[in-house]
Coordinates of all heavy atoms in Angstrom, one line a residue:
M26 N -0.8 -0.3 -16.8 CA -0.6 -0.1 -15.4 C 0.9 -0.1 -15.1 O 1.6 -1.1 -15.4 CB -1.3 -1.3 -14.6 CG -1.5 -1.0 -13.2 SD -2.4 -2.3 -12.3 CE -3.8 -2.7 -13.4
A27 N 1.4 0.9 -14.5 CA 2.9 1.1 -14.3 C 3.2 0.5 -13.0 O 3.4 1.2 -12.0 CB 3.2 2.5 -14.4
Q28 N 3.3 -0.8 -12.9 CA 3.7 -1.5 -11.6 C 4.4 -2.8 -11.9 O 4.3 -3.4 -13.0 CB 2.4 -1.8 -10.8 CG 1.5 -2.8 -11.5 CD 0.2 -2.9 -10.8 OE1 -0.2 -2.1 -10.0 NE2 -0.4 -4.1 -10.9
N29 N 5.2 -3.1 -11.0 CA 5.9 -4.4 -11.1 C 6.4 -4.8 -9.7 O 6.4 -4.1 -8.8 CB 7.1 -4.3 -12.1 CG 8.1 -3.3 -11.6 OD1 8.1 -2.8 -10.5 ND2 9.0 -3.0 -12.5
L30 N 6.7 -6.1 -9.6 CA 7.3 -6.6 -8.3 C 8.8 -6.5 -8.4 O 9.4 -7.0 -9.3 CB 6.9 -8.0 -8.1 CG 5.4 -8.2 -7.8 CD1 5.1 -9.7 -7.7 CD2 5.0 -7.6 -6.5
T31 N 9.3 -5.8 -7.4 CA 10.8 -5.7 -7.3 C 11.4 -7.0 -6.8 O 10.6 -7.9 -6.4 CB 11.2 -4.5 -6.5 OG1 10.7 -4.7 -5.2 CG2 10.6 -3.2 -7.0
K32 N 12.7 -7.0 -6.7 CA 13.3 -8.2 -6.2 C 12.9 -8.6 -4.7 O 12.9 -9.7 -4.3 CB 14.9 -8.0 -6.2 CG 15.4 -8.0 -7.6 CD 16.9 -7.8 -7.5 CE 17.4 -7.6 -8.9 NZ 18.8 -7.3 -9.0
S33 N 12.5 -7.6 -4.0 CA 12.0 -7.8 -2.6 C 10.5 -8.1 -2.5 O 10.0 -8.1 -1.5 CB 12.4 -6.6 -1.7 OG 11.7 -5.5 -2.2
K34 N 9.9 -8.3 -3.6 CA 8.5 -8.6 -3.7 C 7.6 -7.5 -3.3 O 6.4 -7.7 -2.9 CB 8.2 -9.9 -2.9 CG 9.0 -11.0 -3.3 CD 8.2 -12.1 -4.0 CE 9.0 -13.4 -4.0 NZ 9.6 -13.7 -5.2
F35 N 8.0 -6.2 -3.3 CA 7.2 -5.1 -3.1 C 6.6 -4.6 -4.4 O 7.3 -4.6 -5.4 CB 8.0 -3.9 -2.4 CG 8.2 -4.0 -1.0 CD1 9.2 -4.8 -0.4 CD2 7.3 -3.4 -0.1 CE1 9.3 -4.9 0.9 CE2 7.5 -3.5 1.3 CZ 8.5 -4.2 1.8
L36 N 5.3 -4.3 -4.4 CA 4.6 -3.8 -5.5 C 5.1 -2.4 -5.7 O 4.9 -1.5 -4.8 CB 3.1 -3.8 -5.3 CG 2.3 -3.4 -6.5 CD1 2.5 -4.4 -7.7 CD2 0.8 -3.4 -6.1
D37 N 5.9 -2.1 -6.8 CA 6.5 -0.8 -7.0 C 5.5 0.0 -7.9 O 5.2 -0.4 -9.0 CB 7.8 -1.0 -7.7 CG 8.6 0.3 -7.9 OD1 8.2 1.3 -7.3 OD2 9.6 0.3 -8.6
L38 N 5.0 1.1 -7.4 CA 4.0 1.9 -8.1 C 4.6 3.2 -8.5 O 4.7 4.2 -7.8 CB 2.8 2.2 -7.1 CG 2.2 0.9 -6.6 CD1 1.4 1.1 -5.3 CD2 1.3 0.3 -7.7
N39 N 5.1 3.2 -9.8 CA 5.8 4.3 -10.3 C 4.9 5.1 -11.2 O 5.1 5.3 -12.4 CB 7.0 3.9 -11.1 CG 8.1 3.3 -10.3 OD1 8.4 3.8 -9.2 ND2 8.6 2.2 -10.7
C40 N 3.8 5.7 -10.7 CA 2.9 6.5 -11.4 C 2.8 7.9 -10.7 O 3.3 8.1 -9.6 CB 1.6 5.9 -11.7 SG 0.9 5.0 -10.4
G41 N 2.2 8.8 -11.4 CA 2.1 10.2 -11.0 C 1.6 10.5 -9.6 O 2.3 10.8 -8.6
N42 N 0.3 10.5 -9.5 CA -0.4 11.0 -8.3 C -1.0 9.9 -7.4 O -1.1 8.8 -7.9 CB -1.4 12.1 -8.7 CG -2.5 11.5 -9.5 OD1 -3.1 10.4 -9.3 ND2 -2.9 12.2 -10.6
S43 N -1.4 10.3 -6.3 CA -1.9 9.3 -5.3 C -3.2 8.6 -5.8 O -3.5 7.5 -5.5 CB -2.1 9.9 -3.9 OG -3.0 11.0 -4.0
Q44 N -4.1 9.4 -6.5 CA -5.3 8.8 -7.0 C -5.0 7.7 -8.0 O -5.7 6.6 -8.0 CB -6.2 9.9 -7.6 CG -7.6 9.4 -7.9 CD -8.3 8.8 -6.6 OE1 -8.3 9.4 -5.6 NE2 -8.9 7.6 -6.7
E45 N -4.1 7.9 -8.9 CA -3.7 6.9 -9.9 C -3.1 5.7 -9.2 O -3.4 4.6 -9.6 CB -2.6 7.5 -10.8 CG -2.7 7.2 -12.2 CD -1.6 7.9 -13.0 OE1 -1.4 9.1 -12.8 OE2 -1.1 7.2 -13.9
I46 N -2.3 5.9 -8.2 CA -1.7 4.8 -7.4 C -2.8 4.0 -6.7 O -2.8 2.8 -6.7 CB -0.7 5.3 -6.4 CG1 0.5 5.8 -7.2 CG2 -0.3 4.2 -5.4 CD1 1.5 6.6 -6.3
L47 N -3.8 4.7 -6.1 CA -4.9 4.0 -5.4 C -5.7 3.1 -6.4 O -6.1 2.0 -6.1 CB -5.8 5.0 -4.8 CG -5.4 5.5 -3.4 CD1 -6.2 6.7 -3.0 CD2 -5.4 4.4 -2.4
N48 N -5.9 3.7 -7.6 CA -6.7 2.9 -8.6 C -5.9 1.7 -9.0 O -6.5 0.6 -9.2 CB -6.9 3.8 -9.9 CG -8.0 4.8 -9.6 OD1 -8.8 4.7 -8.7 ND2 -7.9 5.9 -10.4
N49 N -4.6 1.8 -9.1 CA -3.7 0.6 -9.5 C -3.7 -0.4 -8.4 O -3.7 -1.6 -8.6 CB -2.3 1.1 -9.8 CG -2.2 1.8 -11.2 OD1 -3.1 1.6 -12.0 ND2 -1.2 2.5 -11.3
V50 N -3.7 0.0 -7.1 CA -3.7 -0.9 -6.0 C -5.1 -1.6 -6.0 O -5.1 -2.9 -5.8 CB -3.5 -0.2 -4.7 CG1 -3.8 -1.1 -3.5 CG2 -2.1 0.4 -4.6
K51 N -6.2 -0.9 -6.2 CA -7.5 -1.6 -6.2 C -7.6 -2.6 -7.4 O -8.1 -3.7 -7.2 CB -8.6 -0.5 -6.4 CG -8.8 0.3 -5.2 CD -9.9 1.3 -5.5 CE -10.1 2.2 -4.3 NZ -11.2 3.2 -4.5
K52 N -7.1 -2.2 -8.5 CA -7.1 -3.2 -9.7 C -6.2 -4.4 -9.3 O -6.6 -5.5 -9.6 CB -6.5 -2.5 -10.9 CG -7.4 -1.5 -11.5 CD -6.8 -0.9 -12.7 CE -7.6 0.3 -13.3 NZ -6.9 1.0 -14.3
Y53 N -5.1 -4.2 -8.7 CA -4.2 -5.3 -8.3 C -4.9 -6.3 -7.3 O -4.9 -7.5 -7.5 CB -2.9 -4.8 -7.7 CG -1.9 -5.9 -7.5 CD1 -1.0 -6.3 -8.5 CD2 -1.8 -6.5 -6.3 CE1 -0.1 -7.3 -8.3 CE2 -0.9 -7.5 -6.1 CZ 0.0 -7.9 -7.1 OH 0.9 -8.9 -6.9
I54 N -5.6 -5.7 -6.3 CA -6.3 -6.5 -5.3 C -7.4 -7.3 -5.9 O -7.6 -8.4 -5.6 CB -6.8 -5.6 -4.1 CG1 -5.6 -5.0 -3.3 CG2 -7.7 -6.3 -3.2 CD1 -5.9 -3.9 -2.3
N55 N -8.1 -6.7 -6.8 CA -9.2 -7.3 -7.5 C -8.8 -8.5 -8.4 O -9.4 -9.5 -8.6 CB -10.1 -6.4 -8.3 CG -10.9 -5.5 -7.4 OD1 -11.4 -5.9 -6.3 ND2 -11.2 -4.3 -7.8
K56 N -7.6 -8.2 -9.1 CA -7.1 -9.2 -10.1 C -6.4 -10.4 -9.5 O -6.5 -11.5 -10.0 CB -6.2 -8.4 -11.1 CG -5.8 -9.2 -12.3 CD -5.1 -8.4 -13.3 CE -4.7 -9.2 -14.5 NZ -4.0 -8.4 -15.5
F57 N -5.6 -10.1 -8.5 CA -4.7 -11.2 -8.0 C -5.1 -11.6 -6.6 O -5.7 -10.9 -5.8 CB -3.3 -10.7 -7.9 CG -2.7 -10.3 -9.3 CD1 -2.6 -9.0 -9.7 CD2 -2.4 -11.3 -10.2 CE1 -2.1 -8.7 -10.9 CE2 -1.9 -11.0 -11.4 CZ -1.7 -9.7 -11.8
D58 N -4.8 -12.8 -6.2 CA -5.0 -13.4 -4.9 C -3.8 -12.8 -4.0 O -2.7 -13.2 -4.2 CB -5.0 -14.9 -4.9 CG -5.2 -15.5 -3.5 OD1 -6.0 -14.8 -2.8 OD2 -4.7 -16.5 -3.2
C59 N -4.1 -11.9 -3.1 CA -3.0 -11.2 -2.4 C -3.4 -10.9 -1.0 O -3.5 -9.8 -0.6 CB -2.6 -9.9 -3.1 SG -4.0 -8.8 -3.4
P60 N -3.6 -12.0 -0.1 CA -3.9 -11.7 1.3 C -2.8 -11.0 2.0 O -3.0 -10.3 3.0 CB -4.2 -13.1 1.8 CG -3.6 -14.1 0.9 CD -3.6 -13.4 -0.5
E61 N -1.5 -11.2 1.5 CA -0.4 -10.4 2.0 C 0.1 -9.6 0.8 O 0.6 -10.1 -0.2 CB 0.7 -11.4 2.5 CG 0.2 -12.1 3.8 CD 1.3 -12.9 4.4 OE1 2.5 -12.7 4.1 OE2 1.0 -13.7 5.2
L62 N 0.1 -8.3 1.0 CA 0.5 -7.3 -0.1 C 1.6 -6.4 0.5 O 1.5 -6.0 1.6 CB -0.8 -6.5 -0.5 CG -0.6 -5.5 -1.5 CD1 -0.2 -6.1 -2.9 CD2 -1.9 -4.7 -1.7
K63 N 2.6 -6.2 -0.4 CA 3.7 -5.3 0.0 C 3.7 -4.1 -1.0 O 3.8 -4.4 -2.3 CB 5.0 -6.0 0.0 CG 5.1 -7.1 1.0 CD 6.4 -7.8 1.0 CE 6.6 -8.8 2.1 NZ 7.9 -9.4 2.1
L64 N 3.6 -2.9 -0.5 CA 3.6 -1.7 -1.4 C 4.9 -0.9 -1.1 O 5.2 -0.6 0.0 CB 2.4 -0.8 -1.1 CG 1.0 -1.5 -1.3 CD1 0.0 -0.5 -0.9 CD2 0.8 -1.9 -2.7
D65 N 5.5 -0.4 -2.2 CA 6.7 0.5 -2.0 C 6.2 1.9 -2.3 O 5.9 2.3 -3.5 CB 7.8 0.1 -3.0 CG 9.0 0.9 -2.8 OD1 9.0 1.9 -2.0 OD2 10.0 0.6 -3.5
L66 N 6.0 2.6 -1.3 CA 5.5 4.0 -1.3 C 6.6 5.0 -1.0 O 6.4 6.2 -0.7 CB 4.3 4.2 -0.4 CG 3.2 3.3 -0.7 CD1 2.1 3.5 0.4 CD2 2.6 3.4 -2.0
S67 N 7.9 4.6 -1.1 CA 9.0 5.4 -0.6 C 9.3 6.6 -1.5 O 9.9 7.5 -1.1 CB 10.3 4.5 -0.5 OG 10.6 4.0 -1.8
K68 N 8.7 6.6 -2.7 CA 8.9 7.8 -3.6 C 7.8 8.9 -3.4 O 7.9 9.9 -4.0 CB 8.9 7.3 -5.0 CG 10.1 6.4 -5.3 CD 10.1 5.9 -6.7 CE 11.2 4.9 -6.9 NZ 11.1 4.1 -8.0
L69 N 6.8 8.6 -2.5 CA 5.7 9.5 -2.3 C 6.0 10.4 -1.1 O 6.7 10.0 -0.2 CB 4.4 8.8 -2.0 CG 3.9 7.9 -3.2 CD1 2.6 7.3 -2.7 CD2 3.6 8.8 -4.4
G70 N 5.4 11.6 -1.1 CA 5.5 12.5 0.0 C 4.7 12.0 1.2 O 3.9 11.0 1.1
I71 N 4.8 12.7 2.3 CA 4.2 12.2 3.5 C 2.6 12.1 3.4 O 2.0 11.1 3.8 CB 4.6 13.1 4.7 CG1 4.1 12.6 6.0 CG2 4.1 14.6 4.5 CD1 4.7 13.2 7.3
F72 N 2.0 13.1 2.8 CA 0.5 13.1 2.8 C 0.0 12.1 1.7 O -1.0 11.4 2.0 CB 0.0 14.5 2.5 CG 0.3 15.4 3.7 CD1 1.1 16.5 3.5 CD2 -0.3 15.2 4.9 CE1 1.4 17.3 4.6 CE2 0.0 16.0 6.0 CZ 0.9 17.1 5.8
D73 N 0.7 12.0 0.6 CA 0.2 11.1 -0.4 C 0.4 9.6 0.0 O -0.4 8.8 -0.2 CB 1.0 11.3 -1.8 CG 0.5 12.5 -2.5 OD1 -0.7 12.9 -2.3 OD2 1.3 13.1 -3.3
A74 N 1.6 9.4 0.7 CA 1.8 8.0 1.2 C 0.8 7.6 2.2 O 0.3 6.5 2.2 CB 3.2 7.9 1.7
T75 N 0.5 8.5 3.1 CA -0.5 8.3 4.2 C -1.9 8.0 3.6 O -2.5 7.0 4.0 CB -0.6 9.5 5.2 OG1 0.7 9.7 5.7 CG2 -1.5 9.2 6.3
K76 N -2.2 8.8 2.6 CA -3.5 8.6 2.0 C -3.6 7.2 1.3 O -4.6 6.5 1.5 CB -3.7 9.7 0.9 CG -5.0 9.6 0.1 CD -5.0 10.7 -1.0 CE -6.2 10.5 -2.0 NZ -6.2 11.5 -3.0
V77 N -2.6 6.9 0.5 CA -2.6 5.6 -0.2 C -2.6 4.4 0.8 O -3.3 3.5 0.6 CB -1.3 5.5 -1.1 CG1 -1.2 4.1 -1.6 CG2 -1.4 6.5 -2.2
M78 N -1.8 4.5 1.9 CA -1.8 3.5 2.9 C -3.1 3.2 3.6 O -3.6 2.1 3.7 CB -0.7 3.8 4.0 CG 0.7 3.5 3.5 SD 1.8 3.6 4.9 CE 1.8 5.3 5.3
V79 N -3.7 4.3 4.0 CA -5.0 4.2 4.8 C -6.1 3.7 3.9 O -6.9 2.7 4.3 CB -5.3 5.5 5.5 CG1 -6.7 5.4 6.1 CG2 -4.3 5.8 6.5
I80 N -6.3 4.2 2.7 CA -7.3 3.8 1.8 C -7.1 2.4 1.3 O -8.0 1.6 1.2 CB -7.5 4.8 0.7 CG1 -8.0 6.2 1.3 CG2 -8.5 4.3 -0.4 CD1 -8.1 7.3 0.3
S81 N -5.8 2.1 1.0 CA -5.5 0.7 0.5 C -5.8 -0.3 1.6 O -6.3 -1.4 1.3 CB -4.1 0.6 0.1 OG -3.8 1.5 -1.0
S82 N -5.4 0.1 2.8 CA -5.7 -0.8 4.0 C -7.2 -1.1 4.1 O -7.5 -2.3 4.3 CB -5.1 -0.1 5.2 OG -5.5 -0.9 6.4
A83 N -8.0 -0.1 4.0 CA -9.4 -0.3 4.1 C -10.0 -1.2 3.0 O -10.8 -2.1 3.2 CB -10.2 1.0 4.1
Y84 N -9.5 -0.9 1.8 CA -9.9 -1.7 0.6 C -9.5 -3.1 0.7 O -10.2 -4.1 0.4 CB -9.4 -1.0 -0.7 CG -10.1 -1.5 -1.9 CD1 -11.3 -1.1 -2.3 CD2 -9.4 -2.5 -2.7 CE1 -11.9 -1.6 -3.4 CE2 -10.0 -3.0 -3.9 CZ -11.3 -2.5 -4.2 OH -11.9 -3.0 -5.3
H85 N -8.2 -3.3 1.1 CA -7.7 -4.7 1.2 C -8.4 -5.5 2.3 O -8.7 -6.6 2.2 CB -6.2 -4.6 1.5 CG -5.5 -5.9 1.5 ND1 -5.3 -6.7 2.6 CD2 -4.9 -6.6 0.5 CE1 -4.6 -7.8 2.3 NE2 -4.4 -7.7 1.0
Y86 N -8.7 -4.8 3.4 CA -9.4 -5.4 4.5 C -10.8 -5.9 4.1 O -11.3 -7.0 4.6 CB -9.6 -4.4 5.7 CG -10.2 -5.0 6.9 CD1 -9.5 -5.8 7.8 CD2 -11.6 -4.9 7.1 CE1 -10.1 -6.3 8.9 CE2 -12.2 -5.4 8.2 CZ -11.4 -6.2 9.1 OH -12.0 -6.7 10.2
S87 N -11.5 -5.2 3.2 CA -12.8 -5.6 2.8 C -12.8 -7.0 2.0 O -13.7 -7.7 2.1 CB -13.5 -4.6 1.9 OG -12.8 -4.4 0.7
K88 N -11.7 -7.3 1.4 CA -11.5 -8.5 0.7 C -10.8 -9.6 1.5 O -11.1 -10.8 1.4 CB -10.8 -8.3 -0.6 CG -10.7 -9.6 -1.5 CD -10.1 -9.3 -2.9 CE -10.1 -10.6 -3.7 NZ -9.4 -10.3 -5.0
Y89 N -9.8 -9.1 2.3 CA -9.0 -10.1 3.1 C -9.0 -9.6 4.6 O -8.1 -8.9 5.0 CB -7.6 -10.1 2.6 CG -7.5 -10.6 1.2 CD1 -7.2 -9.6 0.2 CD2 -7.6 -11.9 0.8 CE1 -7.0 -10.0 -1.1 CE2 -7.5 -12.3 -0.5 CZ -7.2 -11.3 -1.5 OH -7.1 -11.7 -2.8
P90 N -10.1 -9.8 5.4 CA -10.1 -9.4 6.7 C -9.0 -9.8 7.6 O -8.6 -9.2 8.6 CB -11.5 -9.9 7.3 CG -12.3 -10.3 6.1 CD -11.3 -10.6 5.0
K91 N -8.4 -11.0 7.3 CA -7.2 -11.5 8.1 C -5.9 -11.2 7.3 O -4.9 -11.7 7.7 CB -7.4 -12.9 8.4 CG -8.6 -13.2 9.2 CD -8.7 -14.7 9.6 CE -9.9 -14.8 10.5 NZ -10.1 -16.2 10.9
G92 N -6.0 -10.5 6.2 CA -4.8 -10.2 5.5 C -3.9 -9.1 6.1 O -4.2 -8.5 7.1
K93 N -2.7 -8.9 5.4 CA -1.8 -7.9 5.9 C -1.3 -7.1 4.7 O -1.1 -7.6 3.6 CB -0.6 -8.5 6.6 CG -0.9 -9.2 7.9 CD -1.1 -8.1 8.9 CE -1.4 -8.8 10.3 NZ -1.9 -7.9 11.3
I94 N -1.0 -5.8 4.9 CA -0.4 -4.9 4.0 C 0.9 -4.4 4.6 O 0.9 -3.9 5.7 CB -1.2 -3.7 3.5 CG1 -2.4 -4.2 2.7 CG2 -0.4 -2.8 2.7 CD1 -3.3 -3.1 2.2
Q95 N 2.0 -4.5 3.9 CA 3.3 -4.0 4.4 C 3.7 -2.9 3.5 O 3.7 -3.1 2.2 CB 4.3 -5.1 4.4 CG 5.6 -4.7 5.1 CD 6.6 -5.8 5.2 OE1 7.0 -6.4 4.1 NE2 7.0 -6.2 6.3
C96 N 3.9 -1.7 4.0 CA 4.2 -0.5 3.2 C 5.6 0.0 3.5 O 5.9 0.3 4.6 CB 3.2 0.6 3.4 SG 1.5 0.2 2.8
R97 N 6.4 0.2 2.5 CA 7.7 0.8 2.6 C 7.5 2.3 2.4 O 7.0 2.7 1.3 CB 8.7 0.2 1.6 CG 10.1 0.8 1.7 CD 11.0 0.2 0.7 NE 11.3 -1.2 1.0 CZ 11.7 -2.1 0.1 NH1 11.8 -1.7 -1.1 NH2 11.9 -3.3 0.5
V98 N 8.0 3.1 3.3 CA 7.9 4.5 3.2 C 9.3 5.2 3.4 O 10.2 4.5 3.8 CB 6.9 5.1 4.2 CG1 5.5 4.6 3.9 CG2 7.3 4.8 5.7
Q99 N 9.4 6.5 3.2 CA 10.7 7.1 3.2 C 11.0 7.7 4.6 O 12.2 7.9 4.9 CB 10.7 8.3 2.2 CG 9.7 9.4 2.5 CD 9.8 10.5 1.5 OE1 10.9 10.8 1.0 NE2 8.7 11.1 1.2
S100 N 10.1 7.8 5.5 CA 10.4 8.4 6.8 C 9.6 7.9 7.9 O 8.5 7.4 7.7 CB 10.3 9.9 6.7 OG 9.0 10.3 6.7
D101 N 10.1 8.0 9.2 CA 9.4 7.6 10.4 C 8.2 8.5 10.7 O 7.2 8.1 11.3 CB 10.3 7.6 11.6 CG 11.2 6.4 11.6 OD1 10.8 5.4 11.0 OD2 12.3 6.5 12.1
S102 N 8.2 9.7 10.1 CA 7.1 10.6 10.4 C 5.8 10.1 9.8 O 4.7 10.3 10.3 CB 7.4 12.1 9.9 OG 7.7 12.0 8.6
I103 N 5.9 9.4 8.7 CA 4.7 8.8 8.1 C 4.2 7.7 9.0 O 3.0 7.6 9.2 CB 5.1 8.2 6.7 CG1 5.5 9.4 5.7 CG2 3.9 7.5 6.1 CD1 6.0 8.9 4.4
K104 N 5.1 6.9 9.5 CA 4.7 5.8 10.4 C 3.9 6.4 11.6 O 2.9 5.8 12.0 CB 5.9 5.1 10.9 CG 5.6 3.9 11.7 CD 6.9 3.3 12.3 CE 7.4 2.2 11.4 NZ 8.5 1.4 12.0
S105 N 4.4 7.5 12.2 CA 3.7 8.1 13.3 C 2.3 8.6 13.0 O 1.4 8.6 13.8 CB 4.5 9.2 14.0 OG 4.8 10.2 13.1
L106 N 2.2 9.1 11.8 CA 0.8 9.6 11.3 C -0.2 8.5 11.2 O -1.3 8.6 11.6 CB 0.9 10.3 9.9 CG 1.2 11.8 9.9 CD1 1.3 12.2 8.4 CD2 0.0 12.5 10.5
V107 N 0.3 7.4 10.7 CA -0.6 6.2 10.4 C -1.0 5.5 11.7 O -2.1 4.9 11.7 CB 0.1 5.3 9.4 CG1 -0.8 4.0 9.2 CG2 0.3 5.9 8.1
T108 N -0.2 5.6 12.7 CA -0.6 4.9 14.0 C -1.8 5.5 14.6 O -2.5 4.8 15.4 CB 0.6 4.9 15.0 OG1 0.9 6.3 15.2 CG2 1.8 4.2 14.5
N109 N -2.2 6.6 14.2 CA -3.5 7.2 14.7 C -4.7 6.7 14.1 O -5.8 6.9 14.6 CB -3.5 8.8 14.5 CG -2.4 9.4 15.4 OD1 -2.1 9.0 16.5 ND2 -1.8 10.5 14.8
F110 N -4.6 5.9 13.0 CA -5.7 5.3 12.3 C -5.9 3.9 12.8 O -4.9 3.2 13.1 CB -5.5 5.3 10.8 CG -5.4 6.7 10.2 CD1 -4.2 7.3 9.9 CD2 -6.6 7.4 9.9 CE1 -4.2 8.6 9.4 CE2 -6.6 8.7 9.4 CZ -5.4 9.3 9.1
S111 N -7.1 3.4 12.7 CA -7.4 2.0 13.1 C -7.2 1.2 11.9 O -8.1 0.9 11.1 CB -8.8 1.9 13.6 OG -9.1 0.6 13.9
A112 N -6.0 0.7 11.7 CA -5.7 -0.1 10.5 C -4.9 -1.4 11.0 O -3.6 -1.4 10.9 CB -4.9 0.6 9.5
S113 N -5.6 -2.3 11.5 CA -4.9 -3.5 12.1 C -4.1 -4.4 11.1 O -3.3 -5.1 11.4 CB -5.9 -4.4 12.8 OG -6.9 -4.8 11.9
N114 N -4.5 -4.2 9.8 CA -3.8 -5.0 8.8 C -2.6 -4.3 8.2 O -2.0 -4.8 7.2 CB -4.8 -5.4 7.7 CG -5.3 -4.2 6.9 OD1 -5.3 -3.0 7.4 ND2 -5.8 -4.4 5.7
L115 N -2.2 -3.2 8.7 CA -1.2 -2.3 8.1 C 0.1 -2.3 8.9 O 0.1 -2.1 10.1 CB -1.7 -0.9 8.0 CG -0.8 0.1 7.2 CD1 -0.6 -0.3 5.8 CD2 -1.5 1.5 7.3
E116 N 1.2 -2.6 8.2 CA 2.5 -2.5 8.8 C 3.4 -1.5 8.0 O 3.4 -1.7 6.8 CB 3.2 -3.9 8.8 CG 4.6 -3.9 9.4 CD 5.3 -5.2 9.3 OE1 4.7 -6.2 8.8 OE2 6.5 -5.3 9.7
V117 N 4.0 -0.6 8.6 CA 4.8 0.4 8.0 C 6.3 0.2 8.3 O 6.6 0.0 9.4 CB 4.4 1.8 8.4 CG1 5.2 2.9 7.7 CG2 2.9 2.0 8.2
I118 N 7.1 0.1 7.2 CA 8.5 -0.1 7.4 C 9.3 1.0 6.6 O 8.8 1.6 5.7 CB 9.0 -1.5 7.0 CG1 8.7 -1.7 5.5 CG2 8.3 -2.5 7.8 CD1 9.3 -3.0 4.9
N119 N 10.6 1.2 7.0 CA 11.4 2.1 6.2 C 12.3 1.3 5.3 O 12.8 0.3 5.6 CB 12.3 3.0 7.2 CG 11.4 4.0 7.9 OD1 10.3 3.7 8.4 ND2 11.9 5.2 8.0

């Protein structure tokens, strides 16, 4: 699994496509106690980052209904896309 925690405690997912990243996020959520999760998606494009955020948010919510996911992205346009989804546990930052 190509992931590590950076100095800022964001889970850095340096793998190829969004499906691979989603699989790694699911494995991480299942393996570790992570009611608060930070993902660095800044290297992904707008659609892949949005897909990973929304699906990860739903998956994380099923295990941690009161948990939070903080996602680092590359642009504000991703943030505006995600606000249309009902994801109360998701915070998007640049």
Side-chain angles (χ1 to χ4, degrees):
M26 198 177 314
Q28 64 187 24
N29 60 13
L30 288 176
T31 62
K32 290 178 185 174
S33 62
K34 307 246 193 262
F35 277 82
L36 186 62
D37 188 9
L38 301 159
N39 293 317
C40 40
N42 62 44
S43 59
Q44 190 58 47
E45 219 177 321
I46 292 170
L47 280 170
N48 289 337
N49 287 339
V50 170
K51 287 179 182 180
K52 287 177 190 175
Y53 188 88
I54 292 169
N55 286 329
K56 187 175 182 178
F57 298 104
D58 183 34
C59 55
E61 292 187 15
L62 180 62
K63 295 181 179 186
L64 303 176
D65 185 354
L66 305 174
S67 60
K68 296 177 184 163
L69 295 179
I71 188 168
F72 295 113
D73 284 334
T75 303
K76 175 183 173 182
V77 170
M78 283 189 292
V79 172
I80 295 173
S81 296
S82 170
Y84 193 79
H85 189 266
Y86 183 83
S87 68
K88 186 172 180 182
Y89 303 105
K91 295 183 180 181
K93 292 286 181 193
I94 294 183
Q95 189 177 58
C96 295
R97 180 182 291 157
V98 296
Q99 63 178 325
S100 72
D101 284 331
S102 55
I103 296 172
K104 186 185 265 188
S105 63
L106 267 176
V107 174
T108 57
N109 294 325
F110 295 99
S111 175
S113 60
N114 66 336
L115 185 60
E116 180 184 356
V117 183
I118 62 169
N119 289 45

